[in-house]
Amino acid sequence: MFVLDGEKVSDGTAIGRIYFYKRESYSVQKRQIQDVDTEVKRLEEAKEVAVGEIQVLYEQSIPKIGQNNALVFGAHQMILEDSEFWQSVIDMVVDECVNAEYAVWMISQKMEDKLRRQKRAEDMKDVSERLIRILSKQEFVAWKEDVPSILVVNDLLPSEAVRLNPKNILGIVMVGGTPTSHASIFAKAMGIPAIIAMDKLLQEEWEDTLAILDGRAGKLYLQPEGEIIERMRRQQEEEQCAHQQKKIFAGKRTKICVCANVGSDKEIELALENGADGLGLVRSEIFCLNQGKLLTEEEQFCIYKKIVEQTRGKRVVIRTWDIGGDKKVEGLTREAEENPALGLRGIRLCLAKPEIFKSQLRAIFRASAYGKLAIMFPMITSSEEVRKIKAILEEVKGELRRSKLPFDESVTIGAMLETPAAVMVSCELAKELDFFSLGTNDLIQYTLAMDRQNADLNVCYDPGHPAIWEMIRMAIKQVHTEGKQISICGELGADTRFIKELVKMGIDEFSVVPSAIPTVREMILEME
Ligand code: PEP
Ligand code: MG
């Protein structure tokens, strides 16, 4: 038996045979061409075919992964329409008299490097490989999916991930990958156990070998021994039982609300299935990131309206764009910042671009006519910022009234407490705002001065650090002194080591990943 370690991405246990996903490699040869016009025409035709293929993929993926995740294909369309990309390819064909495939390949390589910083390099790769395949008239070869297997991939492009048939894919092992790559997000959304960043390369000779993927422990067992098989079978059964038990807790209620953090349709569905009392954190920027662009007021209005309608009267807290840091959006964020996590991020970016901020606020207020909405601001550090926000809110409301657009006048406003500064001035903030939510993912990062994205710091990034708990204690006390409510939406709130302590300290609400709702509910019930 061989045991390989990886990083866990999506929980669950898979037992089955290994199948290596072999991507067709579309080899590109450089050729000098005589007829430049014909080559450019060939490019235009390939683009049209690619647009058609992506549209079909988009439609097919909605029932599998939800509309918001499917928007990744909108990003692919945008790459195809991107004038910088397209013009550079044409210029290369014309100036250097080279074949279209080669020009697509060269330009996409250059752009991939640039897009890597925005975590969109895999989209570029997907689009360029599609174009090269069409240009060179190669057929797309689907992989063998007829036998349920554990899929091993080097990396998985979004369009490949979406082709997965969850029934036949028992688990996914990504040799590379990051927890936030599209493939990881898809695996989670589809409930497929997955691990990434394997410590050793898997040899192809392992193809068809019996294996066990333990998503919870981030391990892969090859040729497992009888005792491991037995243990993992029991683990699988327990997981199935736990899944059944979830249904019991979905129907129960606790005095302390248990809400969900969401950023996609699929997550909202799961949150409701698991009995969420509401949506405590809608990460609105995810909708922009999925499309790789800023959304118009109308596009946003449709998304927010759909969310409030979907949640049928439950409270929905929309966090305004937390763009910046590692979340780049073309046309809004700076290309390069010395320290992005300490840069123009969240509310700072929105206050620096008031027109863009106003378009989001208008969209949220318009959607408030259809349900119970609240607005929360990320990365707050001072009451000065809150006063600026309030002035903008008044302008927006005034404009809506003048335009006779209906909205809920009683929409409440709150702030994330995720910077040490916000916690230290929470007493002042509590006089200005209606509610608060502890964003411990960032609060830990900024209090301990440790990058939350840096895997080397995993061991030191400690949610149990006394400084964090002092901050939590302080924030709860200050907010309660002003008679306001405080929830927690950072991952710490779903950590079973800390749930009861938070209840004892007086937290008013939990907002957690949808899959954690039953566990949090169960632990609160034990105390109540
Ligand atoms: C947080 O910082 O704890 C939080 C919930 O926000 P995000 O993870 O989106 O930064
Ligand atoms: Mg945060």
Side-chain angles (χ1 to χ4, degrees):
M1 179 172 82
F2 298 85
V3 188
L4 304 186
D5 285 305
E7 235 178 80
K8 55 186 191 172
V9 159
S10 180
D11 272 356
T13 310
I15 305 178
R17 306 228 154 239
I18 290 281
Y19 174 70
F20 276 84
Y21 169 56
K22 294 163 212 76
R23 178 179 303 147
E24 281 295 289
S25 59
Y26 304 111
S27 52
V28 179
Q29 303 285 336
K30 181 178 181 183
R31 281 186 290 110
Q32 292 304 136
I33 45 129
Q34 309 292 331
D35 187 351
V36 168
D37 291 342
T38 309
E39 208 58 13
V40 172
K41 192 158 170 268
R42 228 160 56 77
L43 258 176
E44 300 286 358
E45 285 166 2
K47 180 176 165 185
E48 242 174 73
V49 177
V51 167
E53 283 187 3
I54 292 171
Q55 182 61 29
V56 171
L57 266 178
Y58 171 69
E59 282 158 18
Q60 284 174 349
S61 62
I62 293 175
K64 281 190 189 174
I65 55 167
Q67 189 151 22
N68 289 327
N69 282 327
L71 288 178
V72 65
F73 297 109
H76 288 195
Q77 300 272 21
M78 286 190 50
I79 292 177
L80 275 175
E81 302 296 340
D82 183 277
S83 53
E84 186 191 341
F85 169 65
W86 205 243
Q87 200 50 53
S88 309
V89 174
I90 292 178
D91 286 352
M92 187 166 186
V93 168
V94 175
D95 299 345
E96 298 180 27
C97 295
V98 290
N99 53 323
E101 292 88 336
Y102 181 73
V104 168
W105 186 69
M106 286 301 286
I107 299 298
S108 66
Q109 292 291 309
K110 278 192 204 156
M111 294 197 65
E112 257 180 53
D113 286 340
K114 191 173 132 201
L115 291 169
R116 191 153 290 120
R117 270 177 271 134
Q118 299 166 21
K119 304 215 162 130
R120 305 221 68 90
E122 55 190 35
D123 295 328
M124 182 78 240
K125 191 166 177 202
D126 203 328
V127 171
S128 62
E129 290 205 348
R130 180 178 304 285
L131 278 171
I132 292 168
R133 173 178 54 74
I134 296 166
L135 282 162
S136 52
K137 299 202 166 36
Q138 298 179 52
E139 281 296 304
F140 179 85
V141 183
W143 66 82
K144 174 185 83 176
E145 247 196 72
D146 45 347
V147 184
S149 332
I150 296 174
L151 200 69
V152 179
V153 294
N154 269 325
D155 60 343
L156 203 59
L157 299 173
S159 62
E160 294 169 324
V162 88
R163 284 192 159 93
L164 297 180
N165 177 356
K167 284 202 195 95
N168 284 336
I169 307 296
L170 302 172
I172 305 173
V173 178
M174 276 170 263
V175 176
T178 71
T180 49
S181 63
H182 288 301
S184 303
I185 294 167
F186 280 128
K188 280 192 240 177
M190 290 189 280
I192 298 173
I195 55 178
I196 58 167
M198 301 301 295
D199 63 347
K200 287 198 197 74
L201 270 185
L202 273 167
Q203 305 300 329
E204 288 221 11
E205 65 216 40
W206 290 112
E207 172 108 355
D208 219 27
T209 304
L210 182 65
I212 298 178
L213 189 163
D214 182 354
R216 213 189 303 170
K219 287 191 184 303
L220 181 73
Y221 300 89
L222 293 161
Q223 293 178 333
E225 285 158 2
E227 187 228 335
I228 285 286
I229 300 180
E230 269 313 299
R231 184 145 62 83
M232 289 297 142
R233 287 235 160 88
R234 280 201 300 278
Q235 183 166 306
Q236 250 185 343
E237 279 165 21
E238 279 164 23
E239 282 163 5
Q240 273 151 16
C241 279
H243 195 72
Q244 286 306 316
Q245 263 188 338
K246 268 186 191 177
K247 291 190 182 132
I248 304 172
F249 288 105
K252 304 228 176 193
R253 283 293 159 269
T254 36
K255 283 189 207 118
I256 296 178
C257 286
V258 185
C259 302
N261 298 342
V262 298
S264 71
D265 284 353
K266 184 90 191 168
E267 285 171 336
I268 297 173
E269 274 166 33
L270 198 62
L272 296 174
E273 261 172 44
N274 286 347
D277 289 311
L279 305 180
L281 169 65
V282 177
R283 289 184 164 102
S284 66
E285 66 279 358
I286 305 274
F287 304 107
C288 289
L289 295 174
N290 278 340
Q291 293 214 28
K293 65 162 183 122
L294 266 185
L295 302 176
T296 62
E297 178 185 323
E298 212 49 41
E299 285 167 328
Q300 292 181 71
F301 166 65
C302 293
I303 293 172
Y304 306 146
K305 176 170 175 274
K306 189 168 161 233
I307 295 176
V308 278
E309 286 175 345
Q310 209 177 342
T311 40
R312 294 181 290 275
K314 291 183 174 165
R315 181 168 176 260
V316 174
V317 181
I318 298 193
R319 176 177 75 184
T320 56
W321 290 325
D322 188 10
I323 293 173
D326 63 321
K327 297 173 188 165
K328 305 278 185 210
V329 173
E330 210 159 322
L332 187 61
T333 40
R334 293 225 178 111
E335 250 313 286
E337 277 181 311
E338 204 51 35
N339 283 308
L342 307 178
L344 208 52
R345 173 187 166 184
I347 199 64
R348 301 170 196 171
L349 183 65
C350 285
L351 289 175
K353 312 242 177 192
E355 282 316 308
I356 291 175
F357 188 33
K358 277 171 80 175
S359 79
Q360 180 172 38
L361 294 173
R362 283 173 63 92
I364 299 176
F365 273 112
R366 284 173 56 198
S368 72
Y370 299 85
K372 199 168 162 194
L373 270 185
I375 310 177
M376 182 158 71
F377 305 102
M379 294 295 292
I380 291 287
T381 57
S382 69
S383 3
E384 187 52 37
E385 281 164 347
V386 174
R387 283 192 281 276
K388 283 186 190 153
I389 295 170
K390 281 184 167 175
I392 296 177
L393 285 173
E394 284 316 308
E395 276 178 41
V396 167
K397 287 189 197 172
E399 283 166 20
L400 292 173
R401 285 186 202 110
R402 283 192 294 281
S403 315
K404 302 219 167 359
L405 286 167
F407 68 94
D408 177 5
E409 294 274 358
S410 63
V411 166
T412 53
I413 54 171
M416 300 273 297
L417 294 178
E418 55 184 344
T419 65
V423 174
M424 299 309 278
V425 298
S426 49
C427 164
E428 274 178 54
L429 295 175
K431 293 189 175 70
E432 302 271 357
L433 293 160
D434 303 311
F435 66 93
F436 296 86
S437 192
L438 282 158
T440 47
N441 305 342
D442 278 313
L443 190 59
I444 299 172
Q445 145 162 285
Y446 295 123
T447 305
L448 304 184
M450 280 182 199
D451 183 355
R452 62 190 262 197
Q453 315 267 25
N454 187 335
D456 294 338
L457 297 175
N458 275 353
V459 207
C460 327
Y461 180 93
D462 174 18
H465 194 293
I468 305 305
W469 287 87
E470 199 44 49
M471 294 248 171
I472 296 177
R473 195 167 295 115
M474 185 185 218
I476 295 177
K477 185 165 168 252
Q478 310 275 38
V479 171
H480 281 172
T481 304
E482 291 302 320
K484 307 286 170 66
Q485 296 261 310
I486 179 164
S487 76
I488 181 160
C489 61
E491 295 299 309
L492 191 154
D495 190 323
T496 49
R497 290 172 297 168
F498 304 124
I499 294 167
K500 290 191 175 173
E501 187 55 30
L502 286 163
V503 174
K504 280 189 212 151
M505 287 168 80
I507 203 83
D508 299 303
E509 180 185 290
F510 285 82
S511 191
V512 295
V513 283
S515 57
I517 293 172
T519 312
V520 178
R521 177 93 70 204
E522 186 182 4
M523 293 190 86
I524 300 175
L525 269 174
E526 275 169 23
M527 293 181 82
E528 284 183 354

